[in-house]
Amino acid sequence: MTLADGAGFEILERADCLRLLASTDRGRIAIHINALPIILPVRYVLDTDQVVFSTLIGGVLDRATDG
């Protein structure tokens, strides 16, 4: 049985998410800055069950996580 959220998006089990993440090294991350959404491309690695990516010091992602 496939579960969906209120917007109709499929809800994935954790194992399915990890399998999909492991199948590539590129993705997108969504953040908001000053209440505006921004979606950025990222390169990442999957370290066991954690997504790890790097960012430039002073870059958009670095500034978004400051504080």
Side-chain angles (χ1 to χ4, degrees):
M1 180 173 147
T2 302
L3 298 176
D5 68 5
F9 290 103
E10 183 178 353
I11 300 172
L12 298 176
E13 296 289 333
R14 182 175 177 82
D16 292 328
C17 290
L18 293 174
R19 179 183 50 77
L20 290 169
L21 286 166
S23 70
T24 186
D25 64 350
R26 296 181 183 146
R28 295 178 295 270
I29 188 166
I31 59 174
H32 67 87
I33 298 177
N34 298 326
L36 298 173
I38 297 175
I39 300 173
L40 300 169
V42 293
R43 291 186 63 118
Y44 67 87
V45 296
L46 190 61
D47 182 10
T48 309
D49 64 350
Q50 294 185 5
V51 177
V52 179
F53 59 92
S54 63
T55 185
L56 296 173
I57 295 174
V60 175
L61 289 175
D62 181 43
R63 291 191 315 267
T65 59
D66 186 25

Coordinates of all heavy atoms in Angstrom, one line a residue:
M1 N 0.8 -1.2 0.0 CA 0.0 0.0 0.0 C 0.9 1.2 0.0 O 1.8 1.4 0.8 CB -0.9 0.0 1.2 CG -1.8 1.2 1.3 SD -2.9 0.9 2.7 CE -3.1 2.6 3.2
T2 N 0.6 2.2 -0.9 CA 1.4 3.4 -1.0 C 0.7 4.5 -0.2 O -0.5 4.7 -0.3 CB 1.5 3.8 -2.5 OG1 2.1 2.8 -3.2 CG2 2.3 5.1 -2.6
L3 N 1.5 5.1 0.7 CA 0.9 6.2 1.5 C 1.3 7.5 0.8 O 2.3 7.7 0.2 CB 1.5 6.2 2.9 CG 1.3 4.9 3.7 CD1 2.0 5.0 5.1 CD2 -0.2 4.8 4.0
A4 N 0.4 8.5 1.0 CA 0.6 9.8 0.4 C 0.3 10.9 1.5 O -0.5 10.6 2.4 CB -0.3 10.0 -0.8
D5 N 1.0 12.0 1.3 CA 0.7 13.1 2.3 C -0.5 13.9 1.8 O -1.1 13.6 0.8 CB 1.9 14.0 2.5 CG 2.3 14.8 1.2 OD1 1.6 14.7 0.2 OD2 3.4 15.4 1.3
G6 N -0.8 15.0 2.4 CA -2.0 15.8 2.1 C -1.9 16.4 0.7 O -2.9 16.8 0.1
A7 N -0.7 16.6 0.2 CA -0.5 17.2 -1.2 C -0.5 16.1 -2.2 O -0.3 16.4 -3.4 CB 0.7 18.0 -1.2
G8 N -0.6 14.8 -1.8 CA -0.5 13.8 -2.8 C 0.9 13.2 -3.1 O 1.0 12.3 -4.0
F9 N 1.9 13.7 -2.4 CA 3.2 13.1 -2.6 C 3.4 11.8 -1.9 O 2.9 11.6 -0.7 CB 4.3 14.1 -2.0 CG 4.4 15.3 -2.8 CD1 3.9 16.5 -2.4 CD2 5.1 15.3 -4.0 CE1 4.0 17.7 -3.1 CE2 5.2 16.5 -4.8 CZ 4.7 17.7 -4.3
E10 N 4.0 10.9 -2.5 CA 4.2 9.5 -2.0 C 5.2 9.6 -0.7 O 6.2 10.3 -0.8 CB 4.9 8.6 -3.0 CG 5.1 7.2 -2.6 CD 5.6 6.3 -3.6 OE1 5.7 6.7 -4.8 OE2 6.0 5.2 -3.3
I11 N 4.8 8.9 0.3 CA 5.7 8.8 1.5 C 6.5 7.6 1.4 O 6.0 6.5 1.3 CB 4.8 8.8 2.8 CG1 4.0 10.1 2.9 CG2 5.7 8.7 4.0 CD1 2.9 10.1 4.0
L12 N 7.8 7.7 1.4 CA 8.7 6.6 1.2 C 9.2 6.1 2.6 O 9.4 6.9 3.5 CB 10.0 7.0 0.4 CG 9.7 7.5 -1.0 CD1 11.0 8.0 -1.6 CD2 9.1 6.4 -1.8
E13 N 9.4 4.8 2.7 CA 10.1 4.2 3.8 C 11.5 4.6 3.9 O 12.1 4.9 2.8 CB 10.0 2.7 3.8 CG 8.6 2.2 3.8 CD 7.9 2.3 5.2 OE1 8.7 2.4 6.2 OE2 6.7 2.5 5.3
R14 N 12.2 4.7 5.0 CA 13.6 5.1 5.2 C 14.5 4.3 4.3 O 15.4 4.8 3.6 CB 14.0 5.0 6.6 CG 15.4 5.4 6.9 CD 15.8 5.4 8.3 NE 17.1 5.8 8.6 CZ 17.6 7.0 8.6 NH1 16.8 8.0 8.4 NH2 18.9 7.3 8.8
A15 N 14.3 2.9 4.2 CA 15.1 2.1 3.4 C 15.0 2.5 1.9 O 16.1 2.4 1.2 CB 14.8 0.6 3.6
D16 N 13.8 2.8 1.5 CA 13.7 3.2 0.1 C 14.4 4.5 -0.2 O 15.0 4.7 -1.2 CB 12.2 3.4 -0.3 CG 11.5 2.0 -0.3 OD1 12.1 1.0 -0.7 OD2 10.3 2.0 0.0
C17 N 14.3 5.5 0.8 CA 15.0 6.8 0.6 C 16.5 6.5 0.5 O 17.2 7.1 -0.4 CB 14.7 7.7 1.8 SG 13.1 8.3 1.9
L18 N 17.1 5.7 1.4 CA 18.5 5.4 1.4 C 18.9 4.8 0.1 O 20.0 5.1 -0.5 CB 18.9 4.6 2.6 CG 18.8 5.3 3.9 CD1 19.1 4.4 5.1 CD2 19.7 6.5 4.0
R19 N 18.1 3.8 -0.4 CA 18.4 3.2 -1.7 C 18.5 4.2 -2.8 O 19.4 4.2 -3.6 CB 17.4 2.1 -2.0 CG 17.6 1.3 -3.3 CD 16.5 0.3 -3.5 NE 15.2 0.8 -3.4 CZ 14.6 1.5 -4.3 NH1 15.2 1.9 -5.4 NH2 13.3 1.9 -4.1
L20 N 17.5 5.1 -2.9 CA 17.5 6.1 -3.9 C 18.6 7.0 -3.8 O 19.3 7.4 -4.8 CB 16.1 6.8 -3.9 CG 14.9 6.0 -4.4 CD1 13.7 6.8 -4.0 CD2 15.0 5.7 -5.8
L21 N 19.0 7.5 -2.6 CA 20.1 8.4 -2.4 C 21.4 7.7 -2.8 O 22.3 8.4 -3.3 CB 20.2 8.8 -0.9 CG 19.1 9.8 -0.5 CD1 19.1 9.9 1.0 CD2 19.4 11.2 -1.1
A22 N 21.5 6.4 -2.5 CA 22.8 5.7 -2.9 C 23.0 5.5 -4.4 O 24.1 5.2 -4.8 CB 22.8 4.4 -2.2
S23 N 21.9 5.7 -5.1 CA 22.0 5.4 -6.6 C 22.6 6.6 -7.4 O 22.8 6.5 -8.6 CB 20.6 5.1 -7.1 OG 19.8 6.3 -7.1
T24 N 22.9 7.7 -6.7 CA 23.5 8.9 -7.5 C 24.3 9.7 -6.5 O 24.3 9.4 -5.3 CB 22.4 9.7 -8.1 OG1 23.0 10.7 -8.9 CG2 21.5 10.3 -7.0
D25 N 25.0 10.7 -7.0 CA 25.8 11.6 -6.1 C 25.4 13.0 -6.3 O 26.1 13.9 -5.8 CB 27.3 11.4 -6.4 CG 27.7 11.8 -7.8 OD1 26.8 12.1 -8.6 OD2 28.9 11.9 -8.1
R26 N 24.3 13.2 -6.9 CA 23.8 14.6 -7.1 C 22.3 14.7 -6.8 O 21.5 13.8 -6.9 CB 23.9 15.0 -8.6 CG 25.4 15.0 -9.0 CD 25.5 15.4 -10.4 NE 27.0 15.3 -10.7 CZ 27.5 14.9 -11.8 NH1 26.7 14.6 -12.8 NH2 28.8 14.9 -12.0
G27 N 22.0 15.9 -6.2 CA 20.6 16.1 -5.8 C 20.3 17.5 -5.6 O 21.0 18.4 -6.1
R28 N 19.3 17.8 -4.9 CA 18.9 19.2 -4.7 C 18.5 19.3 -3.2 O 18.1 18.4 -2.6 CB 17.6 19.6 -5.5 CG 17.9 19.6 -7.0 CD 16.6 19.9 -7.8 NE 15.6 18.9 -7.6 CZ 15.5 17.9 -8.4 NH1 16.3 17.7 -9.4 NH2 14.5 17.0 -8.2
I29 N 18.8 20.5 -2.7 CA 18.4 20.8 -1.3 C 17.6 22.1 -1.3 O 17.9 23.0 -2.1 CB 19.7 21.0 -0.4 CG1 19.2 21.1 1.1 CG2 20.5 22.1 -0.8 CD1 20.4 20.9 2.1
A30 N 16.5 22.1 -0.5 CA 15.7 23.3 -0.4 C 15.9 24.0 0.9 O 16.0 23.3 1.9 CB 14.2 22.9 -0.6
I31 N 16.1 25.3 0.8 CA 16.3 26.1 2.0 C 15.4 27.3 1.9 O 14.8 27.6 0.8 CB 17.7 26.5 2.3 CG1 18.3 27.3 1.1 CG2 18.6 25.3 2.5 CD1 19.7 27.8 1.2
H32 N 15.3 28.1 2.9 CA 14.6 29.4 2.7 C 15.5 30.5 3.3 O 16.2 30.3 4.4 CB 13.2 29.4 3.3 CG 13.2 29.3 4.8 ND1 13.3 30.4 5.7 CD2 13.1 28.2 5.6 CE1 13.2 30.0 6.9 NE2 13.1 28.7 6.9
I33 N 15.6 31.6 2.7 CA 16.3 32.7 3.1 C 15.4 33.9 3.0 O 14.8 34.2 2.0 CB 17.6 33.0 2.2 CG1 18.5 31.8 2.3 CG2 18.3 34.3 2.6 CD1 19.7 31.9 1.4
N34 N 15.3 34.6 4.2 CA 14.3 35.7 4.3 C 12.9 35.3 3.8 O 12.3 36.1 3.1 CB 14.8 36.9 3.5 CG 16.2 37.5 4.0 OD1 16.4 37.4 5.2 ND2 17.0 37.9 3.1
A35 N 12.5 34.1 4.2 CA 11.2 33.6 3.9 C 11.0 33.3 2.5 O 9.8 33.0 2.1 CB 10.1 34.5 4.4
L36 N 12.0 33.3 1.6 CA 11.9 32.9 0.2 C 12.5 31.6 0.0 O 13.7 31.3 0.4 CB 12.6 34.0 -0.7 CG 12.0 35.4 -0.6 CD1 12.9 36.4 -1.4 CD2 10.6 35.4 -1.1
P37 N 11.9 30.7 -0.7 CA 12.4 29.3 -0.9 C 13.5 29.4 -2.0 O 13.4 30.1 -3.0 CB 11.2 28.5 -1.4 CG 10.3 29.5 -2.0 CD 10.5 30.8 -1.2
I38 N 14.5 28.6 -1.8 CA 15.6 28.5 -2.7 C 15.9 27.0 -2.9 O 16.1 26.3 -1.8 CB 16.9 29.2 -2.3 CG1 16.6 30.7 -2.2 CG2 18.1 29.0 -3.2 CD1 17.8 31.5 -1.6
I39 N 16.1 26.5 -4.1 CA 16.4 25.1 -4.3 C 17.8 25.1 -5.0 O 17.9 25.7 -6.1 CB 15.4 24.4 -5.1 CG1 14.0 24.4 -4.4 CG2 15.8 22.9 -5.4 CD1 12.9 23.9 -5.1
L40 N 18.8 24.4 -4.4 CA 20.1 24.5 -4.9 C 20.6 23.0 -5.3 O 20.2 22.1 -4.6 CB 21.1 25.0 -3.9 CG 20.8 26.4 -3.4 CD1 21.6 26.7 -2.2 CD2 21.1 27.4 -4.5
P41 N 21.3 22.9 -6.4 CA 21.9 21.6 -6.7 C 23.1 21.3 -5.7 O 23.8 22.2 -5.3 CB 22.5 21.8 -8.1 CG 22.7 23.2 -8.2 CD 21.7 23.9 -7.3
V42 N 23.2 20.1 -5.3 CA 24.3 19.7 -4.5 C 24.9 18.3 -4.9 O 24.2 17.5 -5.6 CB 23.9 19.5 -3.0 CG1 23.5 20.8 -2.4 CG2 22.8 18.5 -2.8
R43 N 26.2 18.1 -4.7 CA 26.8 16.8 -4.8 C 27.0 16.3 -3.4 O 27.3 17.0 -2.5 CB 28.2 17.0 -5.5 CG 28.0 17.4 -7.0 CD 29.3 17.4 -7.7 NE 29.9 16.0 -7.7 CZ 30.1 15.3 -8.8 NH1 29.9 15.8 -9.9 NH2 30.6 14.1 -8.7
Y44 N 26.8 15.0 -3.2 CA 26.8 14.4 -1.9 C 27.3 13.0 -1.9 O 27.4 12.4 -3.0 CB 25.4 14.5 -1.3 CG 24.4 13.6 -1.9 CD1 24.3 12.2 -1.6 CD2 23.6 14.0 -3.0 CE1 23.4 11.4 -2.2 CE2 22.7 13.2 -3.6 CZ 22.6 11.9 -3.2 OH 21.7 11.1 -3.9
V45 N 27.6 12.5 -0.7 CA 27.9 11.1 -0.6 C 27.0 10.6 0.5 O 26.6 11.3 1.4 CB 29.4 10.8 -0.2 CG1 30.3 11.2 -1.3 CG2 29.8 11.5 1.1
L46 N 26.7 9.3 0.5 CA 25.9 8.7 1.5 C 26.9 7.9 2.4 O 27.5 6.9 1.9 CB 24.9 7.7 0.9 CG 23.8 7.2 1.8 CD1 23.0 8.3 2.4 CD2 22.9 6.2 1.1
D47 N 27.0 8.3 3.6 CA 27.9 7.7 4.6 C 27.0 6.8 5.5 O 26.4 7.4 6.5 CB 28.7 8.7 5.4 CG 29.7 8.1 6.3 OD1 29.9 6.9 6.3 OD2 30.2 8.9 7.1
T48 N 27.0 5.5 5.3 CA 26.1 4.6 6.0 C 24.6 5.1 5.8 O 24.0 4.8 4.8 CB 26.4 4.4 7.4 OG1 27.8 4.1 7.5 CG2 25.7 3.3 8.1
D49 N 24.1 5.8 6.7 CA 22.7 6.3 6.6 C 22.6 7.8 6.7 O 21.6 8.3 7.1 CB 21.8 5.6 7.5 CG 22.1 5.9 9.0 OD1 23.2 6.5 9.3 OD2 21.3 5.5 9.8
Q50 N 23.7 8.5 6.5 CA 23.7 10.0 6.6 C 24.2 10.6 5.3 O 25.1 10.1 4.6 CB 24.7 10.4 7.7 CG 24.2 10.0 9.1 CD 25.1 10.6 10.2 OE1 26.0 11.4 9.9 NE2 24.8 10.2 11.4
V51 N 23.5 11.6 4.9 CA 23.9 12.4 3.7 C 24.9 13.4 4.0 O 24.7 14.2 5.0 CB 22.7 13.0 3.0 CG1 23.1 13.9 1.8 CG2 21.6 12.0 2.6
V52 N 26.0 13.4 3.3 CA 27.1 14.4 3.6 C 27.4 15.2 2.4 O 27.6 14.6 1.3 CB 28.4 13.6 4.1 CG1 29.5 14.6 4.4 CG2 28.1 12.7 5.3
F53 N 27.4 16.5 2.5 CA 27.9 17.3 1.4 C 28.7 18.5 1.9 O 28.6 18.8 3.1 CB 26.7 17.8 0.5 CG 25.7 18.6 1.3 CD1 25.7 20.0 1.3 CD2 24.6 18.0 1.9 CE1 24.8 20.7 2.0 CE2 23.6 18.7 2.6 CZ 23.7 20.1 2.6
S54 N 29.5 19.0 1.1 CA 30.3 20.2 1.5 C 29.8 21.4 0.8 O 29.1 21.3 -0.2 CB 31.8 19.9 1.1 OG 31.9 19.8 -0.3
T55 N 30.2 22.5 1.3 CA 29.8 23.8 0.8 C 30.9 24.8 1.0 O 31.8 24.6 1.8 CB 28.5 24.3 1.5 OG1 28.1 25.5 0.8 CG2 28.7 24.6 3.0
L56 N 30.9 25.8 0.2 CA 32.0 26.8 0.2 C 31.7 27.7 1.5 O 30.6 28.0 1.8 CB 31.9 27.7 -1.0 CG 32.2 27.1 -2.3 CD1 32.0 28.0 -3.5 CD2 33.7 26.6 -2.3
I57 N 32.8 28.0 2.1 CA 32.7 29.0 3.3 C 32.2 30.3 2.7 O 32.8 30.8 1.7 CB 34.1 29.1 4.0 CG1 34.5 27.8 4.6 CG2 34.1 30.2 5.0 CD1 35.9 27.8 5.2
G58 N 31.2 30.8 3.3 CA 30.6 32.0 2.9 C 29.6 31.9 1.8 O 29.0 32.8 1.3
G59 N 29.4 30.6 1.3 CA 28.4 30.4 0.2 C 27.0 30.4 0.7 O 26.7 30.6 1.9
V60 N 26.0 30.2 -0.2 CA 24.6 30.3 0.2 C 24.3 29.3 1.3 O 23.6 29.6 2.3 CB 23.8 30.0 -1.1 CG1 22.3 30.0 -0.7 CG2 24.0 31.1 -2.1
L61 N 24.7 28.0 1.2 CA 24.4 27.0 2.2 C 25.1 27.3 3.5 O 24.5 27.1 4.6 CB 24.7 25.6 1.7 CG 23.8 25.1 0.6 CD1 24.4 23.7 0.2 CD2 22.4 24.9 1.1
D62 N 26.3 27.8 3.5 CA 27.0 28.1 4.7 C 26.3 29.3 5.4 O 26.0 29.2 6.6 CB 28.4 28.5 4.3 CG 29.3 28.9 5.6 OD1 29.1 28.2 6.6 OD2 30.0 29.9 5.5
R63 N 25.9 30.3 4.7 CA 25.2 31.4 5.3 C 23.8 31.0 5.8 O 23.3 31.5 6.8 CB 25.0 32.6 4.3 CG 26.3 33.2 3.9 CD 26.2 34.5 3.2 NE 25.2 34.5 2.1 CZ 25.5 34.2 0.8 NH1 26.7 33.9 0.5 NH2 24.5 34.2 -0.1
A64 N 23.2 30.1 5.1 CA 21.8 29.6 5.6 C 21.9 28.8 6.9 O 20.9 28.8 7.6 CB 21.2 28.7 4.5
T65 N 23.0 28.2 7.2 CA 23.1 27.4 8.4 C 23.8 28.2 9.5 O 24.0 27.7 10.6 CB 23.9 26.1 8.2 OG1 25.2 26.4 7.7 CG2 23.1 25.3 7.2
D66 N 24.2 29.4 9.3 CA 24.9 30.2 10.3 C 23.9 30.7 11.4 O 23.0 31.4 11.1 CB 25.5 31.5 9.7 CG 26.4 32.3 10.7 OD1 26.8 31.7 11.7 OD2 26.5 33.5 10.4
G67 N 24.0 30.1 12.5 CA 23.1 30.4 13.7 C 21.8 29.7 13.6 O 21.0 29.8 14.3

